[in-house]
Amino acid sequence: MKRSEFLQMLREKVLFLDGAYGTEFFKRGYKGLIELLNISKPEIVERLQSDYIQAGANILLTNTFSANRMKLRAHGFESEIEKINFNAVEIARSVCKNQLVFGDMSSTGSFVQPFGEISFDEVYEIFKEQASILIKAGVDGIIIETMSDLKELKAAILAVRDLSNDIPLIAHMTFEEDGKSVTGTSVEIFATLMNDLDVDVVGVNCSLEPKQMLSIFARLAKYSKKPLSVEPNAGKPFLENGKLSYRTTPEEFAVYMADFVELGANIIGGCCGTGPEHIKVMTKYIGTQKPRKREIIDIQYLSSRTNLKPIDTFLIIGERINASGKKKLQAQIQQRDFSGVLTLAQEQEQEGCTAIDINFGIEKLLRKEHFQQAIIQLDKHSCLPVSFDIQNLDFLEIAMKEYVGRGLINSAFAREDHLVERINLLKRYGGLLIVLAMEKDIPKTAEERFQLVLKAAEILKGNGVELDRVYFDPLVLPIGAKNDYHVTLKVIDLINKAGLRSSIGLSNLSFGMPNREHINAAFLALCVENGLNAAILNSKEALTMGALQGALSLQGKEIVKVENVLHDPLVDIIIKGQKEQLMNVVQELLKQHDPLYISQQVLAEAMKKIGTLYANGSIYLPHLILAAETVQPAFDYLNNLLGESRIKLGKILLATVQGDIHDIGKKIVATVLRSGGFEVYDIGKDVPAEKILQKCKEYNPDIVGLSAMMTTTVGQVKEVADLLRSEKINVFLLAGGASMNQQLADQFGVMYAKDAVQALEFCKKFVQGGAK
Amino acid sequence: MSEVFYPGKLDCMPDKKIFLARAGARYGKLDEDFIHRVNELFLIALEKIEPVVYYRTSDLSILPKEIIPSSFGNIKKMTIFLSTLGSAVDTLISQLSEQGKTFDAFIIDSWASEALETLNENFDQSLRERFGMGTMRFSPGYGNVDLRINKYIVKEFLGVDQVTVLDSGVMVPRKTTTCMVGWFNEEK
């Protein structure tokens, strides 16, 4: 099917997707890797898909959710990848009449760097391989769903698009109840990046039942310019007569799905826990409907993985990560030591910047790995949106590929060849662009520069780039070289009157002059008066920042507000990952206090505050992981000083249960527990109950923590709990993961921890005698 | 006497846009909290209803003249049916009113009226699949058919004991209607 045909269908009526596969096969008595059914018992898959067709589904998904090489490898079926995917398409096709078949793809189960070990290129290849089989087998489209990492989703989208420009593509993420993915990406960040990427439909699925998902979908509907799809769960699972059941009845599901249609959904279906009956009631209740028109927020945004910055107010781009003329910074970058870059990024955030410019200057001495690593490090530290001041096109592409969010390309010349190369990157990776009002040389007059602005605008429009994604730079030249600053002011005025946006590199003005800050501040105020929208500047210059604030106030405008949630300097250091500074603080404290006091009264207290910040949504998972990693060496150091009396609160054994290969959540818990003073034995993923028992006998832990991500494997938690109890292993049992919930935990007789911070809290209570 | 059909609850689930319009609200303009509250009431009411339809199709010859709508014209047969949501939803609405939960009572009352209409529409469709071309659906109280004919329809024609008909023609349970459809051809 062609994309244009699919999009036409979406304009005509709301389409129905099918329901769950994993949980439905589970209900029907099939366990393990359900994708294997495609080759071992295809009739079972065929029966379920026939049921979905009978229920009224317009789109069937192939039974290939986990059929990527990485997941199949983990289960020992890597060699069957082609057959599993190919058969899945054949089975779906065999039951379809006029319905569509979409190839289903999901996460590899591991996070991409920096949160996991796998690289962007590796996941890209994994997705490309699976998509290639599905497309060759004849799917009508591809859906990528249940993704919690925006970077992994981006890799999957690019992989599909590199195979086919014409295959319809749906991209989904999964969010927690607060509208953020576990990696800290908000639904708005997801929506605004997807507006740029070459996908046909965006949506949300899994994790939440319809009632909880409604507000998240409403946010998506406000920010997304693409058609929308949605697949909620049928509630959290609970145990009923020894079988997992789901709370949301088909009727309740249908009643809420009508709300999604009212909010603008183009495609609706079900995720975990939904079955043919849910789809049948939904399709009958909703019937044939035309999609609703939506009111979409018409503002452009810059974003990183966790920061979303609107650019309708004045955009301040910090200029100080510029290695030109900074030998120490150059040397650090060359050695791939990005501590200086990170410090500058964090300083500029504190100073009120809304984005940071990255200019390594010495590009001829660098390789692509430098840019790759720099972007990964900035992402890990949850930095502001990035402005890519990178001249080499290959390096620019590497940085944009690795970047998570919507960055700014700084910059393109108003020359067709140069501009189109950068437009192509913009289209592939998303983001915004600065275009210089020059081709090879800088025109002398304002009119000449403005003509180049208009010429560039035409090229941009001709290539399908909306002009509100573009800043035009009128060019600021040093007044010390007898350049007339009025020319720049005049171009800003002309750009403003043409309804376009302008941005300048401010500091160039005062190059070689005394009292640079005074000159910069005065000129910036004049630029604002002429309609300037953004500036790359030195945010350390208090006078400049003050003049900007003043000039904007006179116009009744303001700078994007900086949200600073951190008030404790130690917490600040830990969250920013400043290991060296933290060790300096510890050394200072050791002059007055003993190691035990510092460990328990200072660091542990700071981590407690960080846990609270995470719990109330002030910081995100990346901050939490980074904080735990940052504080760990300090704890280890203090422990070594304590010698025999070192602090270990207790021993914890962690495992992901049998059949489940999702590891990252458990690793995060391990990191946080270690940083909280526990001795942690992580025995891996897909661990059978018997092995957990054996390891308990070997390590004699105080606590056993079990993780289950899949609804089809959550029952294993009970198996383990029952086995340990029957063998009289006296441990505190803790369970977590996407499929666990309080009710299940009560039924299994284990403690439920919703996240790593709560797990730490419960473990501490237990060793202090406060939890049972 | 009459035949009985027990519809599924899905046959009675009203379009939210329509029942909210009946209650004076615009679905597309509602905020999320309101939608959640409405959905809760929707599901409470759906749980309470006990829908049932009594129906009988006969030649015109055995029917009193005053029961045949003048707009039906040249029909050969007529199906008359009674549909009710049962008494539990009436009780629920009364209880909510007595507890001062006027909003809830009001929404459920609107919902139930539209649920009954949805049921009638679905049953009407199933009749048309069986009998082919027919008249528009008609209810006593409109046109030339007096509401008080309900007593004859319910007690004598259909023989339904579970529904009380007052002298005014009003029926109890409140969410009960009688309808009639005339058929131009023989049964398929």
Side-chain angles (χ1 to χ4, degrees):
Chain A
M1 154 168 274
K2 289 188 173 173
R3 291 173 83 178
S4 55
E5 291 166 4
F6 179 58
L7 290 170
Q8 182 57 32
M9 281 178 81
L10 293 178
R11 279 191 284 273
E12 284 166 7
K13 67 170 203 161
V14 174
L15 299 179
F16 299 115
L17 265 175
D18 55 17
Y21 282 73
T23 53
E24 192 58 25
F25 284 130
F26 198 75
K27 272 190 227 166
R28 296 178 182 205
Y30 301 96
K31 293 182 183 175
L33 183 70
I34 57 139
E35 286 76 8
L36 272 186
L37 292 172
N38 298 341
I39 51 175
S40 62
K41 290 181 177 169
E43 68 282 2
I44 304 298
V45 182
E46 192 180 317
R47 194 171 309 145
L48 176 58
Q49 293 192 314
S50 293
D51 290 346
Y52 280 132
I53 293 288
Q54 291 293 317
N58 306 116
I59 303 175
L60 271 189
L61 303 191
T62 55
N63 181 35
T64 51
F65 182 87
S66 292
N68 60 61
R69 183 170 290 277
M70 194 155 171
K71 276 193 166 173
L72 292 177
R73 185 187 298 148
H75 289 278
F77 295 103
E78 192 180 355
S79 59
E80 304 286 357
I81 184 167
E82 190 135 354
K83 211 170 168 191
I84 287 173
N85 282 283
F86 194 85
N87 280 19
V89 181
E90 280 213 321
I91 297 165
R93 275 266 170 257
S94 72
V95 298
C96 281
K97 291 180 183 108
N98 300 316
Q99 296 82 3
L100 303 177
V101 174
F102 268 58
D104 192 20
M105 292 168 56
S106 185
S107 169
T108 57
S110 299
F111 281 132
V112 186
Q113 293 167 341
F115 302 126
E117 283 113 43
I118 189 165
S119 74
F120 183 93
D121 291 337
E122 283 172 292
V123 284
Y124 168 88
E125 290 301 333
I126 286 166
F127 289 128
K128 197 168 182 182
E129 179 187 32
Q130 191 188 3
S132 168
I133 303 168
L134 292 168
I135 292 169
K136 275 184 200 151
V139 291
D140 295 302
I142 296 279
I143 181 168
I144 306 159
E145 50 174 3
T146 328
M147 300 295 261
S148 53
D149 178 0
L150 187 58
K151 191 169 183 179
E152 191 182 18
L153 175 64
K154 185 170 135 183
I157 290 168
L158 294 177
V160 173
R161 271 291 160 254
D162 287 348
L163 288 165
S164 167
N165 270 324
D166 208 29
I167 191 98
L169 178 57
I170 304 174
H172 279 196
M173 272 188 84
T174 187
F175 295 93
E176 304 291 302
E177 218 172 334
D178 62 359
K180 294 195 180 89
S181 75
V182 292
T183 51
T185 299
S186 70
V187 69
E188 290 83 2
I189 290 173
F190 163 62
T192 48
L193 180 62
M194 290 304 119
N195 284 340
D196 293 350
L197 299 197
D198 196 9
V199 297
D200 299 300
V201 179
V202 299
V204 289
N205 75 291
C206 208
S207 301
L208 303 171
E209 60 189 293
K211 198 186 290 186
Q212 300 164 317
M213 199 178 268
L214 199 61
S215 63
I216 290 159
F217 185 81
R219 286 160 63 181
L220 179 68
K222 274 187 195 161
Y223 285 82
S224 176
K225 295 176 180 173
K226 302 280 173 83
L228 302 177
S229 59
V230 60
E231 302 168 278
N233 284 354
K236 291 268 183 188
F238 64 99
L239 203 61
E240 191 177 53
N241 303 323
K243 277 195 167 184
L244 284 177
S245 299
Y246 293 83
R247 206 173 306 281
T248 310
T249 63
E251 289 78 17
E252 182 178 351
F253 188 77
V255 166
Y256 269 94
M257 294 318 284
D259 299 333
F260 289 101
V261 172
E262 201 58 34
L263 285 170
N266 300 77
I267 303 174
I268 55 174
C271 202
C272 297
T274 61
E277 192 60 20
H278 288 88
I279 302 304
K280 182 180 150 194
V281 177
M282 173 184 80
T283 56
K284 177 140 194 234
Y285 179 54
I286 291 176
T288 304
Q289 296 209 24
K290 232 180 146 54
R292 309 288 186 270
K293 281 191 178 148
R294 290 183 279 132
E295 284 178 22
I296 299 161
I297 292 175
D298 196 18
I299 296 175
Q300 290 291 344
Y301 296 85
L302 282 174
S303 66
S304 62
R305 184 192 287 273
T306 54
N307 275 295
L308 183 75
K309 301 287 183 187
I311 62 160
D312 57 334
T313 51
F314 195 90
L315 177 65
I316 304 175
I317 305 163
E319 69 171 17
R320 292 214 303 285
I321 304 179
N322 185 339
S324 310
K326 294 179 187 168
K327 286 198 173 159
K328 190 181 168 196
L329 188 61
Q330 283 179 6
Q332 281 181 341
I333 292 168
Q334 265 187 285
Q335 288 159 20
R336 293 192 215 167
D337 167 7
F338 297 103
S339 55
V341 170
L342 293 171
T343 304
L344 284 168
Q346 287 160 356
E347 279 176 15
Q348 292 179 101
E349 182 171 9
Q350 292 298 311
E351 289 158 8
C353 292
T354 37
I356 47 167
D357 195 63
I358 306 287
N359 181 349
F360 290 166
I362 43 164
E363 289 186 12
K364 284 196 175 137
L365 302 175
L366 302 178
R367 291 189 311 190
K368 67 173 191 175
E369 287 79 11
H370 289 94
F371 293 89
Q372 200 170 25
Q373 286 308 313
I375 296 298
I376 288 172
Q377 286 303 315
L378 285 165
D379 180 23
K380 188 174 179 181
H381 287 72
S382 196
C383 82
L384 287 173
V386 166
S387 158
F388 305 100
D389 198 346
I390 301 172
Q391 310 314 310
N392 179 306
L393 195 67
D394 293 337
F395 293 163
L396 176 60
E397 171 148 23
I398 289 291
M400 291 185 75
K401 183 176 76 174
E402 211 65 50
Y403 187 69
V404 188
R406 218 167 171 236
L408 176 67
I409 298 178
N410 178 22
S411 50
F413 295 130
R415 203 178 67 219
E416 185 149 14
D417 58 336
H418 197 267
L419 183 52
V420 168
E421 283 171 342
R422 276 139 194 90
I423 288 173
N424 290 339
L425 292 182
L426 206 62
K427 285 176 147 181
R428 184 168 171 81
Y429 301 106
L432 284 80
L433 172 67
I434 296 176
V435 179
L436 305 175
M438 62 178 285
E439 289 181 308
K440 198 174 173 188
D441 301 310
I442 301 173
K444 282 222 162 80
T445 69
E447 286 70 23
E448 285 172 310
R449 289 188 203 176
F450 183 60
Q451 283 309 312
L452 288 179
V453 167
L454 295 179
K455 179 188 162 191
E458 285 306 313
I459 296 169
L460 287 156
K461 277 195 283 183
N463 281 276
V465 178
E466 298 154 316
L467 293 180
D468 62 350
R469 288 175 66 186
V470 182
Y471 287 94
F472 293 93
D473 186 340
L475 298 163
V476 174
L477 301 176
I479 51 169
K482 306 267 185 242
N483 289 297
D484 180 4
Y485 67 85
H486 290 97
V487 175
T488 305
L489 292 176
K490 175 78 175 156
V491 186
I492 292 171
D493 183 48
L494 289 167
I495 291 171
N496 186 40
K497 283 178 177 153
L500 302 171
R501 287 198 171 102
S502 56
S503 171
I504 58 167
L506 177 62
S507 300
N508 206 24
L509 178 83
S510 57
F511 187 74
M513 299 288 289
N515 297 318
R516 291 189 70 176
E517 192 170 340
H518 296 186
I519 298 166
N520 291 345
F523 182 65
L524 184 57
L526 291 173
C527 291
V528 170
E529 183 61 19
N530 279 272
L532 185 72
N533 305 98
I536 303 169
L537 50 73
N538 183 356
S539 52
K540 210 172 186 176
E541 292 179 354
L543 200 58
T544 305
M545 293 296 276
L548 175 61
Q549 185 73 67
L552 290 169
S553 296
L554 285 172
Q555 294 188 340
K557 297 176 186 168
E558 59 181 340
I559 301 170
V560 175
K561 280 185 187 137
V562 181
E563 290 171 34
N564 193 350
V565 294
L566 312 175
H567 303 293
D568 181 328
L570 184 62
V571 167
D572 201 8
I573 286 172
I574 296 172
I575 286 180
K576 286 178 178 170
Q578 295 168 339
K579 286 183 187 169
E580 261 181 51
Q581 286 91 323
L582 180 63
M583 286 308 285
N584 291 341
V585 171
V586 168
Q587 294 295 356
E588 276 303 308
L589 287 167
L590 278 169
K591 290 175 187 168
Q592 292 176 14
H593 303 283
D594 61 68
L596 187 64
Y597 174 86
I598 299 165
S599 175
Q600 293 303 288
Q601 302 301 319
V602 182
L603 296 187
E605 280 304 305
M607 285 307 286
K608 202 170 159 188
K609 286 180 189 167
I610 289 167
T612 307
L613 287 171
Y614 174 70
N616 66 26
S618 301
I619 60 169
Y620 311 118
L621 189 67
H623 295 108
L624 184 69
I625 300 169
L626 185 63
E629 280 178 11
T630 306
V631 84
Q632 189 61 48
F635 273 127
D636 290 345
Y637 177 72
L638 292 168
N639 267 336
N640 283 336
L641 293 180
L642 284 166
E644 283 303 305
S645 62
R646 62 195 311 190
I647 316 142
K648 281 291 172 205
L649 296 178
K651 278 196 267 183
I652 301 178
L653 186 138
L654 292 180
T656 302
V657 295
Q658 187 170 24
D660 212 322
I661 59 155
H662 296 87
D663 212 22
I664 188 74
K666 174 177 56 64
K667 281 186 176 166
I668 293 165
V669 172
T671 308
V672 171
L673 290 175
R674 281 193 190 103
S675 75
F678 285 92
E679 198 171 338
V680 177
Y681 298 93
D682 183 347
I683 61 167
K685 55 195 175 186
D686 191 15
V687 187
E690 294 73 22
K691 188 174 173 190
I692 295 173
L693 171 66
Q694 179 208 325
K695 291 291 174 187
C696 279
K697 287 177 179 169
E698 189 180 330
Y699 296 129
N700 195 22
D702 305 292
I703 298 163
V704 170
L706 302 170
S707 170
M709 165 94 176
M710 310 279 284
T711 42
T712 48
T713 57
V714 73
Q716 277 293 317
V717 172
K718 186 173 185 301
E719 303 272 323
V720 176
D722 289 348
L723 180 65
L724 295 185
R725 274 192 286 264
S726 73
E727 292 286 325
K728 309 246 180 304
I729 302 291
N730 187 23
V731 289
F732 175 57
L733 275 165
L734 194 65
S739 298
M740 276 301 296
N741 61 57
Q742 190 60 57
Q743 191 175 355
L744 270 184
D746 293 343
Q747 289 176 308
F748 293 171
V750 301
M751 196 84 178
Y752 170 60
K754 71 178 168 66
D755 55 33
V757 171
Q758 202 173 53
L760 177 63
E761 188 188 320
F762 289 156
C763 290
K764 278 188 171 172
K765 267 191 193 162
F766 172 73
V767 293
Q768 288 158 6
K772 288 175 186 172
Chain B
M1 292 297 277
S2 59
E3 293 178 77
V4 186
F5 168 65
Y6 294 98
K9 294 203 172 179
L10 177 57
D11 291 318
C12 308
M13 284 169 63
D15 187 323
K16 271 195 262 184
K17 187 191 281 181
I18 298 173
F19 94 77
L20 285 168
R22 192 186 272 269
R26 269 187 77 183
Y27 186 25
K29 299 283 176 194
L30 299 181
D31 66 50
E32 226 176 278
D33 289 341
F34 195 98
I35 286 175
H36 283 304
R37 205 162 162 191
V38 164
N39 286 351
E40 261 175 44
L41 294 170
F42 188 124
L43 294 165
I44 289 169
L46 189 68
E47 183 69 30
K48 285 285 174 193
I49 59 170
E50 295 151 336
V52 56
V53 180
Y54 300 90
Y55 63 103
R56 185 177 165 194
T57 303
S58 74
D59 290 333
L60 300 187
S61 56
I62 65 158
L63 292 169
K65 276 185 186 163
E66 59 269 33
I67 204 172
I68 303 167
S70 54
S71 60
F72 274 21
N74 193 23
I75 57 166
K76 291 192 166 57
K77 284 185 171 192
M78 196 160 90
T79 300
I80 301 177
F81 65 91
L82 175 146
S83 52
T84 180
L85 299 183
S87 57
V89 73
D90 279 6
T91 309
L92 175 65
I93 294 167
S94 304
Q95 282 172 345
L96 290 169
S97 290
E98 282 161 20
Q99 290 163 12
K101 294 178 178 172
T102 311
F103 172 83
D104 293 1
F106 175 60
I107 292 291
I108 290 182
D109 188 67
S110 303
W111 179 90
S113 298
E114 199 49 42
L116 190 60
E117 180 56 27
T118 306
L119 169 59
N120 288 341
E121 184 60 29
N122 283 325
F123 189 69
D124 179 313
Q125 286 304 318
S126 66
L127 289 175
R128 283 173 206 280
E129 281 166 23
R130 181 170 157 188
F131 291 103
M133 193 184 285
T135 64
M136 280 179 67
R137 191 168 74 246
F138 190 94
S139 282
Y142 294 96
N144 64 312
V145 183
D146 194 297
L147 186 65
R148 285 169 293 188
I149 200 78
N150 272 339
K151 196 161 247 177
Y152 165 78
I153 292 173
V154 175
K155 297 301 169 192
E156 293 184 39
F157 185 72
L158 295 172
V160 177
D161 294 331
Q162 293 85 338
V163 171
T164 305
V165 187
L166 307 180
D167 290 341
S168 60
V170 169
M171 293 175 285
V172 180
R174 292 284 292 112
K175 300 303 174 189
T176 303
T177 52
T178 54
C179 304
M180 47 196 70
V181 186
W183 307 110
F184 296 112
N185 300 308
E186 292 301 317
E187 195 170 345
K188 278 181 184 172

